[in-house]
Amino acid sequence: MEYNPRIHHRRSIRLTQYDYSQPGAYFITICTYKKQPWFGEIRHTQMHLNQFGKIVAQEWLRTPKIRPEIILDEWIIMPNHLHGIIIITDAVLAHQQASHEPSQSESSQFCRKSYSIPSIIAGFKSATTKQVNERRETPKIPLWQRNYYESVVLNFDKLDGVRDYIKNNPFNWYQDSENWQGDSIYDMSALDLPF
């Protein structure tokens, strides 16, 4: 298919001058491709992970093992998305200075800092997609939407509110407009996969 800028252009939702590798707390939401419920189901206000959801959980928990300066705060995997708080600690600054990583202004717009939110999410999405697609026997099918949502959590009051939102996500699932259960346009054949 030929490139058509009206169809294929994706506007970045990142803050243009913000350095996403600086210490702080970041609330992240990553949605599955076409909002398909790949990861399990909500039963009695509890999330029950399936095989794919467990892969996603294991890979999310590996994040601070791969990047020890990163802390995972509250998080949850829902049927068709993941919510999580990632904290980049002050230790990242020391690591960047010791390794002479370029500053945001020195680096190309296409070069990610290894401890930045875009790098963390790209690595996570790549690893989970590879593992899930090996199990699905579908090597080229996307697992995640191309982008993700993030917000910088600026104070402790807001952080507590985000934590509560994440914890209450399964309870609020039945009022969620992204809830696929009972939706006649949901593609049931998408879950007819080898296990």
Side-chain angles (χ1 to χ4, degrees), residues 30-33 39 56 124-125 128-129 142-146:
I30 313 170
C31 297
T32 60
Y33 182 69
F39 305 138
V56 171
F124 168 76
K125 287 168 77 172
T128 53
T129 299
L143 177 64
W144 302 103
Q145 286 183 356
R146 283 184 58 197

Side-chain angles (χ1 to χ4, degrees), residues 121-144:
I121 301 304
F124 168 76
K125 287 168 77 172
S126 175
T128 53
T129 299
K130 180 180 179 188
Q131 292 176 56
V132 167
N133 280 343
E134 285 173 358
R135 299 268 169 80
R136 292 195 295 195
E137 298 177 6
T138 55
K140 297 190 183 206
I141 302 297
L143 177 64
W144 302 103

Side-chain angles (χ1 to χ4, degrees), residues 13 21 30 40 43 50 61 63 73 143 155 174 185 192:
I13 58 174
S21 67
I30 313 170
R43 286 180 288 186
N50 63 17
L61 290 170
T63 302
D73 199 287
L143 177 64
N155 60 53
Y174 297 103
I185 61 168
D192 187 17

Side-chain angles (χ1 to χ4, degrees), residues 2 6 9 20 26 28 39 43 45-46 50 52 58 61 75 79 90 108 150 163 169:
E2 189 174 320
R6 288 185 300 142
H9 176 70
Y20 285 94
Y26 300 85
I28 308 296
F39 305 138
R43 286 180 288 186
T45 70
Q46 296 292 316
N50 63 17
F52 299 150
Q58 289 168 354
L61 290 170
W75 61 278
D90 290 331
S108 158
E150 104 292 314
R163 287 174 177 146
N169 227 244

Side-chain angles (χ1 to χ4, degrees), residues 4-185:
N4 180 335
R6 288 185 300 142
I7 297 172
H8 297 108
H9 176 70
R10 291 185 62 95
R11 185 178 61 85
S12 175
I13 58 174
R14 307 285 83 80
L15 298 171
T16 54
Q17 298 299 317
Y18 192 81
D19 181 353
Y20 285 94
S21 67
Q22 71 182 5
Y26 300 85
F27 174 40
I28 308 296
T29 299
I30 313 170
C31 297
T32 60
Y33 182 69
K34 295 187 177 181
K35 307 261 175 88
Q36 291 292 312
W38 296 118
F39 305 138
E41 64 182 344
I42 302 293
R43 286 180 288 186
H44 309 292
T45 70
Q46 296 292 316
M47 179 62 194
H48 295 269
L49 297 176
N50 63 17
Q51 178 182 1
F52 299 150
K54 289 175 184 175
I55 290 170
V56 171
Q58 289 168 354
E59 199 59 40
W60 188 251
L61 290 170
R62 276 180 24 113
T63 302
K65 294 176 184 169
I66 296 167
R67 295 175 172 94
E69 292 83 0
I70 303 301
I71 296 171
L72 296 180
D73 199 287
E74 194 69 44
W75 61 278
I76 191 162
I77 298 168
M78 296 293 286
N80 61 6
H81 62 280
L82 176 148
H83 288 304
I85 300 169
I86 295 175
I87 298 174
I88 298 179
T89 67
D90 290 331
V92 169
L93 292 176
H95 173 81
Q96 289 171 344
Q97 291 167 349
S99 65
H100 306 293
E101 281 192 24
S103 70
Q104 186 76 11
S105 59
E106 295 169 340
S107 62
S108 158
Q109 68 178 12
F110 300 108
C111 178
R112 293 185 190 116
K113 291 182 180 183
S114 62
Y115 285 87
S116 69
I117 293 298
S119 290
I120 294 165
I121 301 304
F124 168 76
K125 287 168 77 172
S126 175
T128 53
T129 299
K130 180 180 179 188
Q131 292 176 56
V132 167
N133 280 343
E134 285 173 358
R135 299 268 169 80
R136 292 195 295 195
E137 298 177 6
T138 55
K140 297 190 183 206
I141 302 297
L143 177 64
W144 302 103
Q145 286 183 356
R146 283 184 58 197
N147 222 328
Y148 61 94
Y149 303 94
E150 104 292 314
S151 65
V152 182
V153 183
L154 298 174
N155 60 53
F156 287 112
D157 289 338
K158 186 175 179 187
L159 185 58
D160 285 339
V162 172
R163 287 174 177 146
D164 288 342
Y165 174 81
I166 292 171
K167 288 176 193 172
N168 291 320
N169 227 244
F171 181 77
N172 295 322
W173 178 245
Y174 297 103
Q175 288 80 39
D176 191 334
S177 64
E178 302 298 329
N179 176 357
W180 56 270
Q181 292 174 325
D183 189 344
S184 62
I185 61 168

